[in-house]
Amino acid sequence: MDRETIINLPKKILKFVIAAKVINKTSKLVRRIYLFIPKFDKITGIDTDKLVQNHISK
């Protein structure tokens, strides 16, 4: 390794660490936002094929 590569190596490592921290914080934020989105309950006891056919035939 030449001198310039050795000097620039800590800078590259620092950029990688900062990028990893940003990605980590962003993923945590997105997960929190996702958890606030209301989820639909599963529909039980309804014939979904018949329901689709009723809406298509209209």
Side-chain angles (χ1 to χ4, degrees), residues 1-7:
M1 295 180 135
D2 60 356
R3 182 181 168 96
E4 188 174 321
T5 304
I6 294 173
I7 292 171

Side-chain angles (χ1 to χ4, degrees), residues 23-34:
I23 290 169
N24 187 24
K25 287 182 180 183
T26 304
S27 66
K28 286 181 181 180
L29 177 65
V30 169
R31 175 131 174 88
R32 280 191 218 142
I33 292 171
Y34 177 75

